[in-house]
Amino acid sequence: MTVEKFDPQQTTTLRVAKEEISKHHNADAPVLTGTEAKIGFVSLGCPKNLVDSERILTQLRTEGYDVVSTYHDSDLVIVNTCGFIDSAVQESLDTIGEALKENGKVIVTGCLGVKEDEIREVHPNVLAITGPHAYETVVEQVHDHLPKPQHNPFQQLIPDHGVKLTPRHYAYLKISEGCNHRCTFCIIPSMRGDLDSRPIGDVLDEAKRLKDAGVQELLVISQDTSAYGVDVKHQTGFWDGMPVKTNMVALCEKLGEMGIWVRLHYVYPYPSVDKVIPLMAEGKILPYLDIPLQHASPRILKLMKRPAAAERTLERIKAWREICPELIIRSTFIVGFPGETEEDFQTLLDFLEEAQLDRVGCFKYSDVEGATANDLPDPVSEEEKQSRFERFMEVQARISAQKLQDKIGLEYQVLIDEVTTEGAVGRCYADAPEIDGKVYLTDEFDVAPGDKIWAQIVHADEHDMWAVKVDDEDDEGEDNAEATM
């Protein structure tokens, strides 16, 4: 959607991930005799957590464990938890409790796993607990409680790209772990540690395997994508026999040569981002930036310890759009941060009006255990948070609606995600899966997930667009510019 309303009751589980985990029940595999070992898996939280789940499941499937879709069919259940905000913590604890009740044998991993005492206080009977990206430890814990099955690797081959919890045509590409920032509202560094960049050769190898497996869109993720390589001083790595610097620009250049959509998430507005914009203008990677700005008031940004200033950000956005007019910018903001005055909030609204961002999410501030912002003076009342939230939503909804109205009559390449009884549903370059809008092609059935077609926008609301398929016989030369059409 374009403007997101945060609902504390809403699951943090990615819908597609839940569906894909169910699909990975190995229905087509030969029946094993005597020593089947069946794993149930629940993956909560963000795409970064999803990649952790994929790595664990890939190793378990390689060793012959089966993945099943219900608690009752499982010999053991793994819950990959989220612990970013209080509602996510509660969902994780509730899910652990449900798994214990329905199955009884539960291993816990993920961000909430760093708070083992808190988990065991509520659920003392879990078998084992680890923190995030502890892939080898989780697998070892599975071995302790559910021995490896007899396994013939020639009967149950795992594809080179491993187990993916996204549809076949798109995948998340995690380039680093951890974060060097110490934002006062965030506890991610205490859970995932400081920045730890993956070797660029490994990242590009994975991207190539995914492309060869049919992936049409790579979503580049990390805690701070624009800081990629800072921890290793942007050392030179090697890929395909050639030297490649470990930084975001070099990575984007190489990914842009693969001929598939490349979308950047969680990017801070550093000057280094300026060097990526020309690649977008040339159609090498999608002209889409996910930049979590969080606020616009200099005073609140300082209290948040955010590495950005609203004035410079506006100047940078203007310069980016001059180079690449098709650029789509997604962001998230927090209202009701401790100490936020009406003047600070008005500064944020003024920023929205001037920045004219395309996709925006808004969250009401809430205390997170362990965050230093909890101790800041002058908390904002819940009533005032709600009022500011609604006013923020009203302003951005108007901006978003107008931006989508401006697209009516234009033609875009659409990546098909699914075909329903009413027609095809897809996304253009402006839409990331599960967080942005969709493009509906009513009564269009002669397509399949992963297809790319050209379509003309005929209707739009403040979230989504409706389109009709158009002939692309004259667009052969436009494939390299698919990001902007």
Side-chain angles (χ1 to χ4, degrees):
M1 59 172 58
T2 306
V3 181
E4 298 169 353
K5 182 175 181 180
F6 175 61
D7 179 359
Q9 302 304 316
Q10 185 180 27
T11 177
T12 58
T13 310
L14 293 171
R15 175 186 62 82
V16 169
K18 188 173 182 180
E19 294 171 355
E20 291 299 315
I21 287 175
S22 178
K23 289 179 185 177
H24 275 284
H25 167 56
N26 198 10
D28 297 328
V31 176
L32 302 178
T33 57
T35 57
E36 292 102 328
K38 300 177 180 179
I39 301 290
F41 204 104
V42 182
S43 185
L44 306 174
C46 66
K48 295 177 283 292
N49 228 31
L50 186 70
V51 174
D52 293 348
S53 297
E54 291 174 339
R55 292 181 180 177
I56 294 168
L57 283 173
T58 295
Q59 183 59 39
L60 291 174
R61 284 292 302 277
T62 299
E63 295 181 358
Y65 292 91
D66 195 8
V67 180
V68 297
S69 58
T70 68
Y71 290 127
H72 296 294
D73 292 332
S74 307
D75 297 309
L76 180 150
V77 177
I78 301 172
V79 180
N80 192 1
T81 60
C82 179
F84 182 54
I85 56 178
D86 287 349
S87 59
V89 170
Q90 189 58 54
E91 184 198 16
S92 293
L93 292 172
D94 290 347
T95 302
I96 294 167
E98 179 183 70
L100 284 168
K101 178 181 177 182
E102 299 295 332
N103 182 278
K105 298 179 69 174
V106 177
I107 288 175
V108 175
T109 187
C111 289
L112 188 59
V114 300
K115 300 180 179 179
E116 181 170 355
D117 292 344
E118 181 176 330
I119 294 173
R120 290 202 179 277
E121 182 178 351
V122 181
H123 301 300
N125 295 326
V126 296
L127 299 176
I129 300 173
T130 61
H133 54 87
Y135 321 118
E136 294 180 359
T137 304
V138 173
V139 173
E140 290 171 359
Q141 291 169 347
V142 172
H143 295 164
D144 291 341
H145 299 282
L146 189 61
K148 289 184 183 181
Q150 293 179 357
H151 174 53
N152 184 340
F154 296 102
Q155 289 182 321
Q156 292 182 297
L157 294 175
I158 302 299
D160 288 342
H161 61 277
V163 173
K164 306 304 294 181
L165 298 181
T166 51
R168 183 173 181 268
H169 60 280
Y170 71 80
Y172 295 103
L173 182 67
K174 187 194 284 190
I175 63 174
S176 65
E177 293 284 0
C179 182
N180 288 341
H181 298 300
R182 296 295 183 265
C183 301
T184 57
F185 56 82
C186 181
I187 58 173
I188 291 298
S190 66
M191 293 178 171
R192 292 185 173 263
D194 290 336
L195 179 68
D196 183 11
S197 300
R198 294 177 62 195
I200 193 162
D202 291 356
V203 174
L204 292 170
D205 279 344
E206 181 179 352
K208 180 65 163 53
R209 289 194 299 270
L210 290 168
K211 178 199 172 183
D212 291 345
V215 166
Q216 296 291 322
E217 176 182 13
L218 288 174
L219 299 105
V220 178
I221 59 170
S222 65
Q223 301 298 333
D224 180 2
T225 295
S226 39
Y228 176 63
V230 167
D231 54 314
V232 294
K233 297 181 171 54
H234 302 301
Q235 68 184 23
T236 299
F238 288 87
W239 184 69
D240 201 21
M242 298 293 291
V244 186
K245 286 284 188 181
T246 307
N247 61 47
M248 182 180 65
V249 178
L251 175 64
C252 289
E253 287 173 345
K254 289 299 181 182
L255 293 176
E257 295 173 1
M258 293 188 180
I260 58 178
W261 283 8
V262 176
R263 190 183 300 275
L264 300 182
H265 286 276
Y266 317 123
V267 177
Y268 280 82
Y270 298 140
S272 61
V273 180
D274 299 350
K275 300 177 182 178
V276 175
I277 303 301
L279 297 177
M280 297 180 175
E282 295 166 11
K284 300 294 180 59
I285 66 174
L286 295 182
Y288 179 105
L289 282 176
D290 181 348
I291 306 177
L293 296 170
Q294 308 301 7
H295 214 280
S297 163
R299 194 177 70 84
I300 297 301
L301 287 169
K302 185 175 181 179
L303 289 173
M304 289 179 169
K305 292 190 176 179
R306 296 292 290 173
E311 295 84 357
R312 290 198 295 272
T313 298
L314 283 171
E315 293 173 2
R316 185 154 281 131
I317 289 173
K318 181 180 178 181
W320 291 343
R321 285 174 170 159
E322 288 176 353
I323 298 170
C324 183
E326 298 84 7
L327 179 65
I328 295 293
I329 299 177
R330 145 169 279 282
S331 190
T332 52
F333 294 88
I334 297 172
V335 297
F337 191 79
E340 182 188 61
T341 64
E342 180 61 27
E343 182 179 0
D344 293 321
F345 179 67
Q346 186 58 51
T347 298
L348 175 57
L349 295 185
D350 292 343
F351 177 87
L352 287 181
E353 295 283 9
E354 188 167 355
Q356 292 287 298
L357 303 177
D358 302 89
R359 310 291 195 193
V360 173
C362 181
F363 299 87
K364 292 178 288 184
Y365 174 81
S366 63
D367 287 345
V368 176
E369 184 180 352
T372 58
N374 300 344
D375 300 325
L376 290 174
D378 303 318
V380 178
S381 70
E382 291 302 318
E383 293 77 13
E384 189 60 37
K385 288 179 188 176
Q386 182 63 29
S387 172
R388 291 175 183 175
F389 176 81
E390 293 173 358
R391 291 160 61 193
F392 179 102
M393 293 278 287
E394 182 179 355
V395 170
Q396 184 57 41
R398 170 174 47 79
I399 294 170
S400 299
Q402 185 57 56
K403 281 186 164 288
L404 292 185
Q405 289 295 313
D406 292 342
K407 289 180 169 58
I408 293 176
L410 301 179
E411 295 181 6
Y412 295 92
Q413 193 171 52
V414 176
L415 177 61
I416 302 300
D417 284 329
E418 61 179 329
V419 180
T420 71
T421 56
E422 296 181 355
V425 183
R427 296 172 290 109
C428 70
Y429 82 94
D431 308 308
E434 300 203 57
I435 58 173
D436 291 330
K438 298 180 179 180
V439 179
Y440 293 94
L441 295 103
T442 306
D443 296 328
E444 181 59 57
F445 300 101
D446 190 23
V447 291
D451 287 349
K452 287 179 180 175
I453 65 171
W454 288 88
Q456 183 180 50
I457 307 301
V458 295
H459 176 70
D461 60 18
E462 65 185 51
H463 305 300
D464 305 306
M465 298 185 293
W466 283 256
V468 294
K469 185 178 179 181
V470 297
D471 293 334
D472 60 355
E473 57 186 5
D474 295 326
D475 297 323
E476 188 174 311
E478 296 183 69
D479 282 346
N480 292 330
E482 61 190 13
T484 60
M485 287 290 112

